[in-house]
Amino acid sequence: MKKVITYGTYDLLHYGHIKLLERAKALGDYLIVGVTADDFDKTRGKINVRQTLEERIAAVRAVNIADQIIVEQYEGQKIDDIKRYDVDVFTVGSDWEGVFDYLREYCEVIYLPRTQGISSTDIRSSEATFKIGMTGYSSFLNKFYKESTFVNAVDVIGLYSKDTTKLSKIKDELEFITNDYDELLENVDSVYIHSHPSSHYSECKKALLNGKNVLCESPVAMSSEECNELLKIAKDNGLTFMEAIRTAYTTAYSRLLLLLKSGKIGKVVSVDATCTSLSSGGDGSREKLNRWGSLEAWGPTTLLPVFQILGTDYESISFFFLKSSNGDYDSFTKIDFKYSFATASIKVGNGVKSEGELIISGTKGYVYVPAPWWKMDYFEIRYENPTDNKRYFYQINGEGIRYELVEFANAIRRGKPDFYIDRQVTIEISKIMHEFYSKVK
Ligand code: C2G
């Protein structure tokens, strides 16, 4: 029996895929199809895959050409599979011409002509593309715009800003720039808000009341009342309202949460998160409009693991903060939480430097995430006996912004909130902002 193997993502299965499978089958008597796992696709840069692995396997199975379906999970697996299944022929479309010649050492390699005129990318791009307008002035928007070019379903076309001095990189890329928020809203269907935190609530509210989907940097509001109001407007109008803490959308961070919930380090008794920089938030300029307090700049990022791991039912909270030399904002803040079963501490600085690590302590071991943990691609689970230590690595591109945008587009398309950040966490972050800044200001 002549065995043939081929691999693919097979997203949104189309006739180009089917013709490939038919010709692959005709090369022998038994066809094995390797469908790529979600993580594997993300690792190799395919972040726009619309369907889950289960859906893609079901679609391949439904066309009844494959004799066996396996999952491709890691780099180099093809060699293992060819040996494991005693394969005679590896085949793939001609768009991969030459890439798999190294497999000739193990089996025959045949590249089949790719079917012209159809691709999953074309299908995805032909569907709704969301027109996004950005708000803000930080140089971070240059990065956000660049990241958006990797995401099929979104077009960042406009910017509302009162100060574009730091945005020269994207001025020529955008269809329009305006200092009139109404004009921005008239020309887009979604907004990404990265203005000063004190403007988030008003900008979110206006966008939502104008029927726009909103992706807003955290904190989305500076009080739980304002936050609840925004959530209600979004719900009542069937709009997507998503909090942009990009850490939440990285593979490493979401896998870390799953490992913790599965008891890998026993009961979590402490979460310690530190984020500092010397000029984060509004480009570090100090005039009133742009200066960001340490908690405004880094609070949401550090509070995310605290609330997602320990919950929001802490018994007590205490603040320590230092003001900047000119006295008008918090340059360093430490917040301690006491739970009935655990403790947590965040340290944030804007104008203060420290080691930006995340340490999660447990009754069986602990998690160590090195700086800059908030754009993690690597973490360790450490135990009493170092030989039991485990290391995890998940490729990340662009700090997680593109994955956040993919989830935003998916949430709009699905018509229901993303499941990465629980609404209670969003509300609690806004509440902490109010409690803290009513003390500081
Ligand atoms: N294909 C084709 N014609 C098209 C589109 C795709 O012949 N119009 C072929 C591809 O060449 C590939 C298979 O269909 O052999 C699946 O394509 P994709 O789902 O796009 O996955 P891809 O990542 O290209 O698969 O490691 C090998 C890769 O996984 C190959």
Side-chain angles (χ1 to χ4, degrees), residues 107-276:
C107 67
E108 191 182 353
V109 174
I110 298 173
Y111 298 101
L112 296 167
R114 179 185 172 86
T115 302
Q116 296 312 309
I118 181 81
S119 76
S120 307
T121 303
D122 294 343
I123 296 172
R124 286 191 287 260
S125 304
S126 67
E127 286 179 354
T129 296
F130 305 112
K131 294 195 180 317
I132 296 184
M134 304 185 291
T135 81
Y137 47 81
S138 163
S139 57
F140 182 83
L141 292 176
N142 295 314
K143 198 183 288 185
F144 184 87
Y145 175 80
K146 181 168 177 300
E147 283 292 289
S148 72
T149 61
F150 292 96
V151 181
N152 285 163
V154 301
D155 265 342
V156 176
I157 60 166
L159 167 69
Y160 159 62
S161 184
K162 293 195 173 75
D163 170 9
T164 61
T165 48
K166 295 281 184 178
L167 301 174
S168 52
K169 280 188 196 162
I170 55 173
K171 270 181 186 162
D172 302 334
E173 306 281 340
L174 296 169
E175 286 178 23
F176 68 97
I177 295 178
T178 176
N179 60 9
D180 176 346
Y181 193 35
D182 290 312
E183 183 186 353
L184 181 86
L185 294 177
E186 281 157 20
N187 290 283
V188 298
D189 52 52
S190 307
V191 291
Y192 167 67
I193 293 173
H194 189 285
S195 49
H196 188 279
S198 58
S199 312
H200 287 180
Y201 165 70
S202 57
E203 288 184 9
C204 285
K205 184 170 179 178
K206 187 160 189 174
L208 290 168
L209 291 176
N210 278 272
K212 311 302 173 185
N213 299 296
V214 173
L215 175 64
C216 180
E217 285 294 329
S218 186
V220 299
M222 297 302 276
S223 76
S224 53
E225 293 74 18
E226 288 179 348
C227 182
N228 278 309
E229 182 190 357
L230 296 175
L231 289 168
K232 184 173 184 322
I233 297 171
K235 189 166 187 295
D236 293 351
N237 293 278
L239 293 166
T240 293
F241 174 47
M242 207 167 114
E243 186 170 31
I245 308 178
R246 53 195 171 280
T247 305
Y249 304 94
T250 60
T251 306
Y253 179 79
S254 43
R255 289 292 177 282
L256 169 57
L257 290 184
L258 295 177
L259 288 168
L260 291 171
K261 290 190 177 10
S262 66
K264 273 284 185 188
I265 61 171
K267 283 195 181 315
V268 175
V269 298
S270 174
V271 177
D272 299 281
T274 301
C275 291
T276 64

Side-chain angles (χ1 to χ4, degrees), residues 6-11 14 16-17 19-20 23 34 36 40-41 44 46 72 78 90-96 100 112-120:
T6 189
Y7 295 81
T9 303
Y10 292 103
D11 191 35
H14 54 67
H17 292 143
K19 285 178 66 177
L20 185 286
R23 287 173 292 156
T36 49
F40 182 55
D41 271 329
R44 65 191 189 123
K46 288 187 87 166
E72 185 178 30
K78 294 179 175 73
F90 166 86
T91 186
V92 74
S94 54
D95 45 319
W96 294 90
F100 299 105
L112 296 167
R114 179 185 172 86
T115 302
Q116 296 312 309
I118 181 81
S119 76
S120 307

Side-chain angles (χ1 to χ4, degrees), residues 355-371:
E355 184 63 26
E357 60 192 10
L358 172 63
I359 297 176
I360 304 160
S361 313
T363 53
K364 287 185 193 163
Y366 70 97
V367 173
Y368 174 70
V369 191

Side-chain angles (χ1 to χ4, degrees), residues 273-278 298 331-333 346-357 371-374:
T274 301
C275 291
T276 64
S277 59
L278 289 182
W298 290 113
S331 59
F332 178 76
T333 302
I346 67 161
K347 283 188 283 192
V348 291
N350 189 9
V352 167
K353 275 309 284 178
S354 183
E355 184 63 26
E357 60 192 10
W373 68 266
W374 54 91

Side-chain angles (χ1 to χ4, degrees), residues 2-6 20-22 24-25 28-33 65-69 91:
K2 193 173 186 184
K3 284 187 163 183
V4 181
I5 198 166
T6 189
L20 185 286
L21 293 173
E22 286 168 341
K25 180 69 176 269
D29 311 300
Y30 187 90
L31 175 64
I32 302 170
V33 178
I65 299 171
D67 296 292
Q68 182 181 358
I69 297 176
T91 186

Side-chain angles (χ1 to χ4, degrees), residues 291-296 317-336 345-352 432-441:
R291 65 109 180 89
W292 294 42
S294 59
L295 201 66
E296 286 167 326
I317 180 171
S318 66
F319 299 101
F320 168 85
F321 63 89
L322 294 174
K323 286 207 164 186
S324 58
S325 49
N326 54 7
D328 73 349
Y329 71 100
D330 51 298
S331 59
F332 178 76
T333 302
K334 184 172 185 291
I335 302 182
D336 293 305
S345 169
I346 67 161
K347 283 188 283 192
V348 291
N350 189 9
V352 167
I432 296 275
M433 290 295 149
H434 177 73
E435 283 188 27
F436 178 73
Y437 283 104
S438 55
K439 290 179 184 349
V440 172
K441 284 178 179 158

